[in-house]
Amino acid sequence: MATELFKMHAMIVDSDLNSRMKLKQATASCNLFSTIVQIGTLQDASAKLSVGGEQWDVVFVSCHFDEHEALSFVGRAKETTAGQDAAY
């Protein structure tokens, strides 16, 4: 009997479109992810997590963001149902 592999839901948060596209290509090529969503701002990512509906397994946060803002985002994201169990 074949078992279905667990596929992860990933969110890429980066203000640089080029970086987002490169990471999306890299994640898509490794066949571990079923969903890969690209978002350009921490505010939009927070809104996506707050809406819920989808549990996120991995949230890639770019080093292009201010460190304090990025840490604040991660703290808020971990308080959401959709992002509480994600790896950041």
Side-chain angles (χ1 to χ4, degrees):
M1 174 178 8
T3 59
E4 187 174 319
L5 294 175
F6 173 75
K7 299 274 187 155
M8 295 185 278
H9 298 281
M11 181 184 298
I12 300 169
V13 188
D14 194 331
S15 58
D16 182 79
L17 177 61
N18 237 3
S19 295
R20 283 196 314 265
M21 293 304 295
K22 286 179 184 176
L23 184 53
K24 182 172 182 176
Q25 287 176 335
T27 54
S29 69
C30 72
N31 200 28
L32 292 174
F33 300 94
S34 63
T35 304
I36 305 166
V37 173
Q38 299 178 65
I39 299 179
T41 69
L42 294 172
Q43 293 78 13
D44 289 346
S46 289
K48 180 94 172 147
L49 289 167
S50 295
V51 170
E54 192 158 16
Q55 292 295 116
W56 297 96
D57 300 302
V58 181
V59 179
F60 296 98
V61 181
S62 172
C63 64
H64 294 123
F65 295 114
D66 174 78
E67 184 177 354
H68 175 71
E69 290 176 358
L71 290 172
S72 179
F73 162 75
V74 171
R76 289 189 314 273
K78 287 187 166 285
E79 294 174 358
T80 67
T81 302
Q84 67 186 357
D85 293 329
Y88 292 86

